[in-house]
Amino acid sequence: MIALPLVFLYWFFAGPALLLAALSLRGERKRARYVARRLGEHAEDLPAATVIVPVKGADEGLRENLAALAALDYPDYELIVTAQASGDIPVGVLPARVKVVLAQGRDSGASEKIQNLLAAVRAARKRTQVLAFADSDGRVTSGWLRALVAPLAEPGVGACTGYRWFLPDPPDFWSLMRGVWDAVAAGTLGAGDNRFAWGGAMAIRKEVFFQARVPEFWQGALTDDYTLSQAVHAAGLGIAYAPGALTPCREHTTGGHFFGWIRRQMAITRIYAPRLWWLGLMAHIFYCGGMAASIVASIRGNRLAEWALIAQLLPGMAKGLNRATLAKASLPEYEAWFKRHIWVHAFWVPLATWVWLIALVSSGLARSIEWRGRRYALKRPRLSSEPRP
């Protein structure tokens, strides 16, 4: 009488976990073909652009990161570094080719980052046709802007996004774990319309920026990228992924900083993309529940559970390796790093799955977040997107 409820409980978790594991590999070949095609393209339409990067204090390698943004292989662009006040920009980090814009707290209802971005947009030169946004902790490649701009010429594309890839060198446990954890989101980007744009590598035509009412969506908001994504989708346009705009992040982290960072990332997702957050939470409850149930059953001598555990783990590890392989193709300059460390993106995936569950559960309890020394209350966005036609 006791065994039947235990068997039911086991399959309640293990069954969905096996199904999710099998479905996780769906579309990987299509994504690989898309990445190969995009990387082989050569953009012909390269309109005048403005690249905007907000700065708030010192990031590891900030001087080199800004220098990379000032040396892009692009015929006509300006670089704007924006901050709240001059004291937010460390001494000696600015390249020669840069315009500095200080927001000085004009739009107090929004986060500091959004205030800075809006001030920079207002200061962009008149002939600019494309607005591109970068983060100060990324060290972009020379073709980054070309890759971001190219898809904007395609019908139905309102914005284009890249993503980040953590490449700590020398590596340490927490910095590598952050990379494995964060690569999961990179693996959701591919062909067609994407759910979100990432603020550290996104571009939009200036006319679309205003036609889609992005400044209105940014009013009172905490996050620039989720709200820009909402605005683009509300306008009936899509978000294209540019693998050539994958952005290396070289900085290191500690355990405490890492867990605070992932909690903040998921708390923002819970507020601005609740459906995505709930889907992630439910999936990881079953992933981790199935994993735990199979481990316990295997310890008790259930041979079927051993095979079930292997069947749960292998697809996720294979997908992690594929994510890293595609990232390697997107960042040929870092081939040596991938040769040394690509294995962590396969073998550390089971552990990262549990870290995802921790991040999702802990973010469900968050009522505020701290970013760059300021604390913000978590609240629903004032202006939400309308249903897409």
Side-chain angles (χ1 to χ4, degrees):
M1 295 295 293
I2 298 177
L4 283 176
L6 290 176
V7 170
F8 173 79
L9 184 62
Y10 170 76
W11 285 109
F12 176 79
F13 286 104
L18 286 167
L19 179 62
L20 288 169
L23 292 175
S24 69
L25 293 176
R26 184 179 56 181
E28 284 300 289
R29 287 185 179 180
K30 180 180 178 182
R31 184 168 178 268
R33 289 194 298 268
Y34 174 80
V35 168
R37 176 175 67 82
R38 280 290 188 200
L39 292 177
E41 292 177 343
H42 299 283
E44 297 181 0
D45 182 19
L46 297 174
T50 294
V51 176
I52 298 170
V53 54
V55 171
K56 175 74 171 178
D59 288 300
E60 183 179 340
L62 176 59
R63 185 173 182 272
E64 293 77 12
N65 297 344
L66 295 178
L69 286 166
L72 296 171
D73 177 18
Y74 198 88
D76 185 6
Y77 80 100
E78 66 170 345
L79 174 63
I80 295 180
V81 169
T82 181
Q84 277 289 301
S86 58
D88 292 333
I89 304 175
V91 176
V93 300
L94 292 177
R97 181 190 168 190
V98 68
K99 178 193 293 184
V100 176
V101 174
L102 303 179
Q104 299 177 334
R106 287 194 211 173
D107 303 291
S108 58
S111 68
E112 254 191 44
K113 183 180 181 181
I114 288 178
Q115 293 175 41
N116 297 344
L117 296 182
L118 286 170
V121 168
R122 289 191 290 264
R125 58 188 182 175
K126 290 185 177 180
R127 74 170 185 272
T128 281
Q129 298 179 52
V130 171
L131 300 170
F133 302 91
D135 275 352
S136 59
D137 58 355
R139 192 167 304 172
V140 301
T141 59
S142 61
W144 178 85
L145 186 54
R146 284 178 176 264
L148 271 180
V149 169
L152 297 179
E154 299 172 3
V157 173
C160 184
T161 186
Y163 201 68
R164 68 185 151 226
W165 195 271
F166 287 103
L167 297 155
D169 195 17
D172 58 74
F173 175 81
W174 289 114
S175 299
L176 286 173
M177 175 54 67
R178 176 172 62 176
V180 176
W181 184 89
D182 193 59
V184 173
T188 66
L189 298 169
D193 181 26
N194 290 270
R195 292 179 177 176
F196 64 91
W198 175 61
M202 64 183 182
I204 184 171
R205 287 191 176 272
K206 187 166 68 173
E207 62 179 356
V208 174
F209 182 85
F210 290 105
Q211 287 172 359
R213 300 181 299 138
V214 174
E216 293 180 44
F217 277 75
W218 276 357
Q219 292 299 319
L222 296 180
T223 173
D224 56 311
D225 43 18
Y226 273 135
T227 41
L228 182 142
S229 303
Q230 290 172 354
V232 169
H233 284 151
L237 299 170
I239 299 171
Y241 172 56
L246 192 64
T247 302
C249 291
R250 309 297 303 277
E251 66 175 10
H252 296 76
T253 191
T254 62
H257 183 272
F258 169 60
F259 280 103
W261 178 74
I262 61 176
R263 183 175 185 266
R264 183 174 71 245
Q265 298 297 309
M266 291 300 99
I268 292 172
T269 301
R270 177 173 62 85
I271 296 299
Y272 287 90
R275 182 173 179 273
L276 193 60
W277 185 86
W278 277 107
L279 287 173
L281 177 63
M282 297 309 298
H284 282 83
I285 286 174
F286 283 108
Y287 270 132
C288 296
M291 201 185 305
S294 293
I295 291 172
V296 171
S298 298
I299 292 172
R300 292 183 174 183
N302 187 328
R303 297 299 299 275
L304 179 61
E306 294 177 10
W307 287 105
L309 179 61
I310 293 172
Q312 290 172 48
L313 298 182
L314 286 182
M317 295 168 69
K319 187 168 184 177
L321 182 61
N322 189 55
R323 286 193 293 262
T325 301
L326 296 181
K328 178 183 174 183
S330 302
L331 297 170
E333 303 93 331
Y334 294 89
E335 182 178 1
W337 187 95
F338 282 100
K339 284 183 176 179
R340 292 195 303 269
H341 307 300
I342 197 171
W343 61 272
V344 302
H345 284 274
F347 291 103
W348 288 16
V349 166
L351 178 58
T353 302
W354 284 93
V355 177
W356 266 96
L357 181 62
I358 293 170
L360 287 159
V361 171
S362 64
S363 68
L365 305 174
R367 296 295 175 265
S368 64
I369 60 169
E370 184 176 340
W371 182 80
R372 303 275 179 161
R374 284 193 59 179
R375 184 159 292 278
Y376 299 94
L378 287 170
K379 55 185 179 180
R380 296 289 177 187
R382 185 172 60 187
L383 181 60
S384 60
S385 61
E386 301 166 3
R388 297 186 65 186

